[in-house]
Each structure stands twice: as C-alpha cells, then as structure tokens.
Amino acid sequence: MEEFRLCTIEEMEAATDRLLETAAKVGADTYQSRLAHQNPHCGFGDKGTCCRICRMGPCRITPKEPRGICGCDAHGIVGRNFLRFTAGGAATHSDHGRNIVDTLYHAEPGGAYQVKDPEKLIRIAKEWGVETEGRDIYDLCKEVAYMGLEEYGKVFGTQRWLSRAPKHTQELWAKAGVEPRAIDKEISCSMHMTHMGNSSLAEALVRQSFRAGMSDGWGGSMAGTEFSDVLFGTPKPVDTTANLGVMKKENVNIVVHGHDPALSELICEYCEDPEMLELAKSVGAEGITVSGVCCTANEVAMRRGVPMVGNFLQQENVVLTGCCEAIVVDVQCIFPALGPLSKCFHTKFITTSPICRMPDSDFIEFSVEDAAENAKNIVKTAVLNFKNRKPELIHIPDLVTEATVGYSVEAIKKQLNVVTNSVVDPQDTLKPLVDCIKSGVVKGAVAMVGCNNPRVRPDTAHIGLMKKLIANGIVIVASGCSAQAAARAGLMDKKAKDLCNSGLKRVCELADIPPVLHMGSCVDISRMMILVSDLAKEAGCNISQLPVLGCAPEWMSEKAVSIGNYVVATGIETYLGVEPGVSGSSEVTDLLTNGVRDWFEAAYTVETDIDKLGDMMVEKIKEKRAALGI
Ligand code: CUV
Ligand code: SF4
C-alpha cells in the first residue's frame, strides 16, 4: 500500500509560481507584486498609534510627542483603534447573520428557500419558549425568524443565545459587564465610545471590544450558523476535494467566493439544472464545475460536498488558471484586484450584493424575492462565457487532495458515539469525547481558525501547527481559511490519521474521522462555542479548565479580532501568530495578554515565531491536564 503523503507547501508554491508567469504574460499585477511595494508597512498604523478620528488630526504618537492635539495618549488611541477594529468585524459577521435570518423569514414551501432542517427549527423554537405543538412549520419559521431579527435591535435585555453557556461562564460575563445587548447597539455603542472626546481609558475600550465580540459570537454569528442550518441543512460528514486542481478544463468553471450561503446554495442548484447542463454542452463544455473560495466554499463544501478550490490568498490564482468562466462573489474578503485581473482574462467578475460593490465587475443584484431568477441568470452568463477562453492562457495546476468535511456539533456527537458503541439516539452526548480526553487517548483540542496573510509564508503556520498538534495527540477543529489550508494539504483526508500519535490515530480509526475536523466557515466558530460549552457541562468543569485552546496563526481581518475576543471571553486561551496592532500601548497589550484573565479566565498569547507558538500550545495543554489531574 502506498504511504499517505501530504501535499507540500513547496508543491503549492510551485503551482502559484507557474500561475504568476501567466500574470506576467498578460501584464496583470497580483498581491505578491503589490505587497513588495507596500513593504515596509507604516509603523504608526502597525503599532496602533495613529489617530484620525477628528480633523484637528491626524495625530501620531512618538516618545517625543506622547499626546495628540486633544491630549489623548497612546493607550487611548490604541484602545480606540482596537475597539473600532473589533466593531468592524462584529458588524460584518452579524450583518451576514441578519441576512440569513431575513432569508429564513422569507422561506416558503415550494419557494427558492425552504426549511431543510425543521427539527433544528423546532429545537430553537423550544429553546426560545415558542409554542411548537401542532404548528405549521412555515408559520413557526416566520415567528422564530422574526424573533431572530429582533435580537439585532431588542430594546431591553441581552442576547438569547447566552443561556447556552455553562452557568459559571454566564456569571463571569455578568460580572465583567460584557453580556451583549442588542447586536446593533453594541456596534453603535462602540462607534459612540470611540468618537473624539469620548472614552480614552484603555480598560473601558478593551472591555467594550469584548462586549462587541460577544455580540458577534454569541449573537450574530450564532444566528448565522443556526439559521443557515435550518435553511440549508445541518452539516453531516461528506467527501469532497480541495486545491486548484478541482477546476476542470473541459467544464464550465464557476467559482463562488464570499460568505453568504444564500447565494452560493442557489448557484450550486442551478449548475445541476438540466437546462443549464444542456446549454453548457451546446457551447462545447462537458459539464459545469462549481468550486469555492473562502468561507462560501466552506458553506457549500460541508452541505453539498462542493470542492474547495482555495482560501483567501488563492483567490487571484483561480482567475490566473484561465479556466474560470465566472467568479461570483457576495460579501467579505474579496480582493478588489479581481476586477482588473478578470479583465486580463475572459473571466466574468460578478458582484451580487449592494454591500460589496466593486469597479470592473458585472453587478447582478441578488435579492431574496428574485433569487431563483438571479441565480439562473448568473449561471447562464458564466456558461455562455465558456467560448471566450483564451487557449494560450489555460493552465490548471495538477493539485487535488481528498477531504471529509461537515463536522457540525450534531455530527461530531453522532460520530464519536461510534467509538464507545453507544446507541446513537437523538440525545447524543459528548461523553465519549470526554472519556477519550480523560483517559488521555486524546490529549486535548485546538480550534484552528482564521485567514491567511502574507505576513506569514501562506498556510505554513496553519499546516505546520496542525501537524505538530496531531502528532501530540491533540485533535483539531478547524474553520474558515485555516480549514481550507488543512484540506488543501490533505489533513482532512481520513488517511491523515497516520500523522497522529497512536492514541489519536486509534480514535480516528474507530470513529472513522480525519484528525482535523472541518467545522465550517468563520461564523461557525459559534459551533465551537457550543461544543466547548457542552464539553464543560459534560465534564463537570469550567470551560477554562478544559485542555482546549484557540489559535489564529495567520489571521488578517477585523472579523478575526472580533472572533478572538469572543473566544477569549468564553474562557479559551487564544494564540495569535500575527500581532493585533496594539504594541503602541503597554496598557492595552497587558490587558489583552494578561489582564482580561481576571474577567474571563483566559487571555491572548501573541508569538510570531510559529514553532514557538506550537510548543507553547502543546505545553499549555499539558499544564491544563495536570491541573485537572488527568
Ligand atoms: Ni470568514 S475572514 S479570509 S473568509 S478566514 Fe478566510 Fe473566512 Fe479570514 Fe475571510
Ligand atoms: Fe488627534 Fe485627538 Fe483628533 Fe485623535 S481625536 S486626531 S488624537 S486631536
């Protein structure tokens, strides 16, 4: 039998280099060339010590000039910048969630959007105290979706989902004053606090940063995840493939990119439509291949097995293959570069959301009311573009890996119960996982999340850390671009069990899982919060005591900071491989890496030496196990 082998970073880089030759040939620039011109980055922005929130400024803080014109010091400026950064991320995820809940509100029998997981809807309805007995499912759907939308602007009270956390965690939140009120209120309050002449006290700004993050993870993101499941189905393990080689030269290639499954789900559906397949044949293609970039890829991979062509820093590569008929985007993490780049090829760059308008794109507005028609129109545009390919520019790198994805909390419970041969019933518990951790067969778990970022050699940190952790018996749950890095390397192939220590390998075999579990997109980090809450309840300890850590080694976006804040606030020590841009203030730095431990029993650790970062995590897991006496 052939030995299992990961796809190496060098192979991935060689593929990129080959595509960059095409870029040079057509005179297109890419992030690699733009990066060379942006380096070195502005030191003030990097440290967080540039303030431009009023027009007396902009002001920059130096040892010689320690205060802005209004008298604000570095701690106030860095703190305000950190809070605005978080608020941007929380707004983004939460608004995505709102869009999903709004789509759910408009779901109807026989319509473009339907309730695919009525059981989950009923479960949420019961949790929220809604009468479910004898109700029509779409009637119930309207009521629950309306309540979901109200969470964004509720007049009094805090987020409904908070009650899912263990009692102790809820108490910590109450004591620290970070229980999120209406989601929109937390964003608005953050903007208010950071206006000229409001808060300049580091502690208050950091506290609100965590509250805003909480409104994301235990508010908007959780709504996004839970109601996406209701609409499109709760993910179950499904086989798929990853990397650039999933594109097919003989087929029409449609790439979906962004975050919102409301668009990509329908695109996928229309690509299977006999009429569209017929049209594809008529233009000389054999079929239609849909593949995904970024979190939208995660959404459709885990529900439909749609292949994941690449993560964030692969988005230009997709166009550079010369085989992309259309790159269809909704919101977030989309390079404006795709506009001019597509113009060098036959590729149609199709924007669909009023939230994300870009020059040099074809805007086909996607609305819930006309969703079916919009999706069909987009697919048709792509198919008809097949004949415009420039044959001399075609090159698809021959890189494909196998992956099994779709490990929702529900799926993990089901899957792990196999280990102990317990009867699989709807009351699946995490007892088998707790037993594995207690006995030491599994040493702990790390949530690997976040983007990739050219500050780090792309994907090396994700892949390197995962290899180190599984070799130490630590199981990984992954989401976002981190999950895609894993898939592209082959770490979500069940055969990757061979890279684990003997204990974890045995668990992978018995439960029939890969050592790196795909939990979904970035909003699905809310799944991880539910997982650790349930684990703590099952184990009878606090979340902060569990041998569980969070890690974003290559993160770049505002959303990542919002996520980091709610993960820390949930009691999970979180390791960053990229600095959060607060080094200009000792007070803010100290709060984030130490002080907030008094509030949440967890804090950030920042280490840009990735090897060291990995060792620190392995050590921390050992420490946590020792403290529990296991
Ligand atoms: Ni939302 S936020 S680059 S796609 S993980 Fe990927 Fe995930 Fe970062 Fe964006
Ligand atoms: Fe300068 Fe103060 Fe205005 Fe900021 S708020 S730009 S520090 S004067």
Side-chain angles (χ1 to χ4, degrees):
M1 216 177 74
E2 215 184 307
E3 210 183 311
F4 175 73
R5 187 180 82 78
L6 292 180
C7 175
T8 65
I9 291 286
E10 288 73 22
E11 286 170 297
M12 294 189 219
E13 287 177 345
T16 297
D17 289 344
R18 170 62 185 78
L19 293 169
L20 291 178
E21 285 172 25
T22 311
K25 197 147 88 184
V26 298
D29 74 358
T30 56
Y31 87 78
Q32 291 88 344
S33 56
R34 291 187 299 271
L35 174 67
H37 294 121
Q38 286 296 336
N39 262 334
H41 296 290
C42 166
F44 295 96
D46 204 31
K47 292 193 194 66
T49 49
C50 164
C51 184
R52 43 178 196 77
I53 63 171
C54 97
R55 227 23 217 162
M56 293 193 285
C59 301
R60 307 187 296 186
I61 300 302
T62 62
K64 261 173 64 201
E65 305 299 337
R67 289 181 187 269
I69 295 165
C70 65
C72 192
D73 65 9
H75 310 301
I77 292 177
V78 170
R80 291 193 302 220
N81 285 336
F82 186 72
L83 176 51
R84 283 205 168 195
F85 205 85
T86 310
T92 307
H93 271 149
S94 296
D95 209 32
H96 162 173
R98 176 182 356 234
N99 202 37
I100 296 293
V101 195
D102 183 67
T103 305
L104 182 70
Y105 183 82
H106 288 93
E108 51 187 21
Y113 297 105
Q114 298 176 31
V115 173
K116 283 228 180 93
D117 191 344
E119 256 176 59
K120 188 152 189 171
L121 176 65
I122 291 169
R123 234 179 342 166
I124 297 169
K126 286 190 175 146
E127 191 182 333
W128 285 3
V130 177
E131 183 54 55
T132 58
E133 220 45 57
R135 294 276 300 271
D136 169 74
I137 202 74
Y138 284 90
D139 181 39
L140 185 62
C141 166
K142 274 235 169 350
E143 183 173 346
V144 173
Y146 194 86
M147 288 171 79
L149 288 168
E150 276 183 332
E151 288 301 291
Y152 286 82
K154 68 198 305 180
V155 183
F156 300 113
T158 54
Q159 289 297 298
R160 289 179 183 277
W161 306 113
L162 299 183
S163 62
R164 291 179 163 192
K167 270 260 135 17
H168 175 72
T169 311
Q170 294 185 48
E171 282 162 16
L172 290 177
W173 290 337
K175 208 164 140 222
V178 299
E179 294 166 302
R181 299 155 292 183
I183 297 164
D184 290 347
K185 179 169 183 152
E186 296 308 347
I187 313 293
S188 167
C189 176
S190 301
M191 297 310 282
H192 189 181
M193 280 179 77
T194 52
H195 187 276
M196 192 272 150
N198 278 327
S199 292
S200 53
L201 183 70
E203 191 203 288
L205 292 161
V206 168
R207 197 183 294 273
Q208 179 60 21
S209 303
F210 281 84
R211 199 172 201 177
M214 286 291 296
S215 77
D216 168 1
W218 289 88
S221 272
M222 204 166 276
T225 295
E226 295 293 87
F227 292 121
S228 289
D229 284 357
V230 172
L231 264 177
F232 306 117
T234 303
K236 312 193 243 303
V238 55
D239 291 333
T240 185
T241 51
N243 230 333
L244 288 158
V246 304
M247 293 175 77
K248 295 228 162 35
K249 192 174 159 185
E250 61 285 0
N251 285 359
V252 170
N253 286 293
I254 300 179
V255 175
V256 289
H257 175 13
H259 280 76
D260 189 340
L263 168 73
S264 45
E265 279 283 330
L266 284 199
I267 302 278
C268 292
E269 231 153 74
Y270 274 99
C271 288
E272 291 166 6
D273 188 82
E275 191 193 329
M276 290 297 140
L277 289 169
E278 204 44 56
L279 186 67
K281 294 233 160 73
S282 77
V283 298
E286 282 179 16
I288 305 174
T289 297
V290 197
S291 58
V293 170
C294 272
C295 278
T296 246
N298 292 316
E299 297 278 2
V300 286
M302 66 181 171
R303 293 203 180 86
R304 293 175 171 267
V306 167
M308 299 180 280
V309 65
N311 52 10
F312 180 61
L313 289 178
Q314 294 286 324
Q315 57 185 292
E316 290 173 299
N317 281 354
V318 168
V319 177
L320 291 171
T321 60
C323 288
C324 175
E325 274 54 61
I327 181 158
V328 187
V329 305
D330 48 84
V331 291
Q332 302 169 29
C333 302
I334 296 145
F335 274 13
L338 292 179
L341 182 64
S342 305
K343 292 269 176 288
C344 301
F345 294 82
H346 76 301
T347 306
K348 296 255 182 226
F349 176 41
I350 303 176
T351 47
T352 60
S353 168
I355 300 285
C356 178
R357 298 293 311 271
M358 290 194 182
D360 298 314
S361 71
D362 293 339
F363 183 57
I364 304 181
E365 185 168 350
F366 196 80
S367 61
V368 185
E369 293 77 20
D370 307 314
E373 203 182 303
N374 302 149
K376 207 164 169 177
N377 188 2
I378 290 168
V379 174
K380 205 165 166 182
T381 307
V383 172
L384 293 175
N385 194 27
F386 180 78
K387 51 187 191 307
N388 298 324
R389 278 189 189 176
K390 299 172 182 165
E392 70 283 8
L393 299 180
I394 292 178
H395 170 76
I396 301 177
D398 183 21
L399 292 180
V400 188
T401 51
E402 312 265 317
T404 305
V405 302
Y407 292 96
S408 55
V409 176
E410 292 86 338
I412 290 177
K413 286 181 179 173
K414 275 215 163 60
Q415 204 69 26
L416 284 167
N417 277 324
V418 179
V419 187
T420 49
N421 295 320
S422 56
V423 192
V424 179
D425 63 34
Q427 297 305 309
D428 292 331
T429 70
L430 285 170
K431 186 163 184 307
L433 181 55
V434 170
D435 290 345
C436 286
I437 294 176
K438 271 193 186 152
S439 69
V441 196
V442 173
K443 298 283 180 221
V446 171
M448 294 286 298
V449 307
C451 332
N452 48 12
N453 180 339
R455 280 175 185 260
V456 179
R457 186 176 166 196
D459 298 323
T460 53
H462 289 297
I463 296 168
L465 288 172
M466 289 186 210
K467 280 164 68 179
K468 178 178 278 201
L469 293 166
I470 63 173
N472 278 285
I474 297 162
V475 69
I476 309 284
V477 290
S479 71
C481 291
S482 185
Q484 294 175 347
R488 286 168 52 236
L491 284 159
M492 288 177 172
D493 189 325
K494 288 179 189 165
K495 294 196 272 308
K497 67 177 180 353
D498 292 347
L499 307 173
C500 304
N501 76 341
S502 58
L504 182 56
K505 182 175 174 180
R506 189 85 189 109
V507 172
C508 289
E509 279 166 357
L510 286 172
D512 193 28
I513 52 169
V516 179
L517 298 172
H518 185 288
M519 278 197 101
S521 67
C522 295
V523 293
D524 293 329
I525 295 168
S526 60
R527 294 188 201 278
M528 299 175 182
M529 298 305 99
I530 296 168
L531 183 67
V532 292
S533 295
D534 289 359
L535 260 179
K537 287 179 202 165
E538 181 68 47
C541 67
N542 297 332
I543 291 178
S544 61
Q545 292 175 294
L546 294 168
V548 171
L549 310 173
C551 178
E554 305 184 31
W555 70 276
M556 61 85 203
S557 75
E558 291 174 323
K559 290 177 288 174
V561 168
S562 173
I563 293 168
N565 287 357
Y566 73 72
V567 173
V568 168
T570 303
I572 302 169
E573 291 285 338
T574 298
Y575 292 74
L576 303 178
V578 173
E579 288 184 352
V582 298
S583 63
S585 161
S586 54
E587 276 180 33
V588 174
T589 302
D590 186 61
L591 277 165
L592 295 180
T593 56
N594 193 23
V596 298
R597 222 172 252 118
D598 291 344
W599 306 345
F600 309 125
E601 302 173 348
Y604 283 108
T605 299
V606 185
E607 177 55 67
T608 54
D609 179 332
I610 299 300
D611 239 8
K612 250 196 213 160
L613 189 74
D615 293 339
M616 289 165 101
M617 284 196 279
V618 173
E619 266 321 299
K620 186 51 104 186
I621 296 252
K622 278 192 193 146
E623 217 177 273
K624 285 191 177 273
R625 294 187 62 87
L628 281 170
I630 55 174

